[in-house]
Amino acid sequence: NETTLQLIYQYFQAQGYSGALEILQTESGVSYESGTFDKAHRLRHILNEHHDLTQSLIGPDPSSLDEMTFEQDLKVQEHNASASAPLICVDKAHNGGLISIRCFQYEDQTLLATTSTSREIKIWDASSSLRLDDAKEPICVGTLMCSSTCLSVEFHPRVKGMIIFGMMDGSVRIVKESHLLSREEIFNEAIHSKYVIRCKWGNKSFATASYDKTVNLYRLAEGSSEENPIYEHVQKWSFSGNVESLEFTPDDIALVVAVRGDNYLNYIQLRDLSISRINMNATGDDHVSFTAMHIECSQSGSHLLVQTDKDRIIVMRTHTPIQSKNLYGTVNNEFSQPRATWHPSGKYIYGTSQNNVIFAWDVITEEIIYRMEGHTGYPRDLCYHPTEEILFTCSYDKTIRIW
């Protein structure tokens, strides 16, 4: 019937299948009416609702819906602009495909860090790349050659130029003043037996996650400072599968851990180091239909984006099983390594896709607002500038793109 056709039309339109949309309209004799449904990706919502209903018949009662006004709870800032157009492309930024990218603003200087399959870690001064009317390519101010590929990089949020690296050989490294010739390695330990897929800074601490199925937590030793740190091992946790992502909550209450093949998020309570498990299935059942590949808290800390290995990003209320929003449109599968990030306002989310497109969603309406094309290889990572309307992306095509 026409309602079914309109659902299919909306899906084709959202996915950019303009040729298929035109053919189906011609063959059915029914035209697409864009205002038929008040919610984007209505077909995907119906399919998920059907799955949830089916599972609820054999599992626990569905968890409650997000009854609080989402806009207020998310603390969305009034915002009408965000990155959407290409600004700069740095060709051959590395000798190999890029794996990770991070930026941070320290007073008047924006630093950028990138890693690649060629075992290079590069530090860039991107301060001159922020002027929209006269943007220039970032300047490489340092290159670190490693014996193993770096899979994860994070700038310290309070100490300029200090970076933590997670390496493919299982080691974790910390370098201070990475942007200067006086850079110094102050930590280098083989913490894990397999790939270190994530490293994250906490409050006077850091955590690491690995494909050896473990997470490690380190804290500052008594008497040391973040500027001149000595870190002591606190605890190691073992999980049932490869750890894909982890995130400290901004309130410093918990460390959230996502594990492959597990429909639960593991909240390590930092006060007593116990673990609370939060079910990502809306019905509360234990069916595993996706893996949380990337998790990231909003700036306010009220919500957590969960980038899955499917075409779906779940926006959950932090510390709860409540699903506030679901965002659809990307092309991903169980072999992909998708990434997503919040806009600083909390109003938008950007995510990678296997079809080389960067997607942007309006979180409130759940609609795709931008499809950003330009990468010719799989976009491997992305990050948003904390104070400017600038998005940085990197790809296996060896480029850094600034939007």
Side-chain angles (χ1 to χ4, degrees):
N1 61 32
E2 289 195 15
T3 301
T4 303
L5 282 170
Q6 294 299 333
L7 283 169
I8 297 171
Y9 290 162
Q10 186 193 50
Y11 176 77
F12 281 177
Q13 179 74 16
Q15 295 298 118
Y17 301 151
S18 56
L21 175 59
E22 185 176 346
I23 291 171
L24 186 54
Q25 289 181 94
T26 300
E27 292 188 350
S28 67
V30 177
S31 298
Y32 175 41
E33 298 177 6
S34 59
T36 303
F37 305 104
D38 60 357
K39 180 175 283 190
H41 302 283
R42 186 63 187 135
L43 181 59
R44 292 297 304 160
H45 281 276
I46 290 172
L47 291 173
N48 275 329
E49 288 165 3
H50 172 71
H51 169 267
D52 291 345
L53 176 61
T54 302
Q55 292 299 320
S56 69
L57 297 177
I58 58 175
D61 292 336
S63 56
S64 61
L65 298 175
D66 194 350
E67 297 174 354
M68 185 178 295
T69 301
F70 181 74
E71 293 88 334
Q72 295 175 350
D73 191 31
L74 184 60
K75 300 179 175 64
V76 169
Q77 302 172 17
E78 184 63 30
H79 205 83
N80 298 311
S82 61
S84 60
L87 183 63
I88 293 174
C89 177
V90 182
D91 288 315
K92 298 180 180 178
H94 284 255
N95 293 322
L98 275 72
I99 296 175
S100 57
I101 187 167
R102 286 294 179 270
C103 74
F104 208 86
Q105 177 77 23
Y106 297 98
E107 298 175 349
D108 60 345
Q109 188 175 30
T110 295
L111 295 179
L112 198 65
T114 54
T115 74
S116 73
T117 57
S118 54
R119 301 181 179 179
E120 300 170 303
I121 300 170
K122 289 190 176 184
I123 313 300
W124 310 77
D125 185 341
S127 305
S128 61
S129 306
L130 309 181
R131 299 188 294 267
L132 301 184
D133 56 342
D134 186 29
K136 294 180 172 60
E137 287 192 4
I139 301 167
C140 182
V141 295
T143 301
L144 290 74
M145 295 303 302
C146 307
S147 59
S148 177
T149 300
C150 178
L151 300 175
S152 174
V153 57
E154 292 287 341
F155 280 105
H156 196 287
R158 293 171 292 278
V159 182
K160 183 176 182 178
M162 186 177 288
I163 304 184
I164 187 168
F165 305 105
M167 311 301 291
M168 187 175 279
D169 63 5
S171 66
V172 173
R173 302 172 60 186
I174 299 176
V175 174
K176 63 186 297 186
E177 296 184 336
S178 62
H179 59 303
L180 302 176
L181 293 176
S182 58
R183 68 182 65 92
E184 177 187 2
E185 185 174 79
I186 59 173
F187 186 97
N188 188 342
E189 291 188 15
I191 293 176
H192 295 277
S193 60
K194 290 186 178 180
Y195 302 168
V196 181
I197 197 72
R198 288 287 195 282
C199 294
K200 287 287 186 177
W201 294 105
N203 180 23
K204 299 181 180 179
S205 62
F206 70 82
T208 63
S210 170
Y211 276 8
D212 65 6
K213 304 179 183 181
T214 68
V215 166
N216 280 278
L217 177 66
Y218 283 74
R219 282 180 176 154
L220 277 179
E222 187 175 351
S224 71
S225 65
E226 289 188 309
E227 291 75 16
N228 296 288
I230 299 174
Y231 286 102
E232 296 179 336
H233 185 252
V234 176
Q235 189 161 322
K236 174 191 282 189
W237 293 269
S238 296
F239 296 91
S240 60
N242 293 343
V243 182
E244 292 289 356
S245 190
L246 78 168
E247 175 83 335
F248 284 97
T249 58
D251 55 20
D252 202 39
I253 291 176
L255 174 64
V256 191
V257 179
V259 178
R260 179 170 285 276
D262 191 352
N263 57 291
Y264 286 82
L265 292 175
N266 299 274
Y267 278 73
I268 298 174
Q269 305 301 322
L270 297 176
R271 184 184 61 172
D272 59 8
L273 305 182
S274 64
I275 296 180
S276 303
R277 285 167 57 79
I278 299 293
N279 198 333
M280 290 183 285
N281 289 339
T283 61
D285 66 275
D286 285 328
H287 177 69
V288 179
S289 59
F290 61 84
T291 289
M293 298 298 296
H294 179 79
I295 54 178
E296 183 177 311
C297 282
S298 61
Q299 269 198 345
S300 68
S302 62
H303 282 78
L304 182 77
L305 75 78
V306 179
Q307 168 73 76
T308 72
D309 58 351
K310 306 300 182 186
D311 65 342
R312 178 185 181 194
I313 294 176
I314 308 170
V315 180
M316 302 184 71
R317 194 185 298 177
T318 312
H319 304 291
T320 80
I322 296 173
Q323 295 185 14
S324 298
K325 298 289 179 178
N326 283 274
L327 311 177
Y328 299 97
T330 56
V331 179
N332 292 305
N333 58 37
E334 61 270 24
F335 302 109
S336 61
Q337 289 284 331
R339 299 291 181 263
T341 192
W342 291 91
H343 184 277
S345 69
K347 188 175 181 180
Y348 312 110
I349 285 176
Y350 290 79
T352 65
S353 179
Q354 277 189 319
N355 60 0
N356 303 340
V357 177
I358 306 295
F359 285 79
W361 293 264
D362 184 308
V363 181
I364 306 302
T365 65
E366 302 177 296
E367 293 182 349
I368 295 172
I369 54 173
Y370 305 125
R371 292 179 180 82
M372 300 155 66
E373 300 181 4
H375 281 298
T376 57
Y378 183 32
R380 190 60 177 75
D381 203 6
L382 74 174
C383 59
Y384 211 97
H385 193 284
T387 60
E388 303 290 338
E389 297 303 338
I390 297 290
L391 178 74
F392 299 93
T393 62
C394 71
S395 166
Y396 283 155
D397 63 12
K398 303 181 183 181
T399 68
I400 299 170
R401 286 187 177 269
I402 304 176
W403 310 79

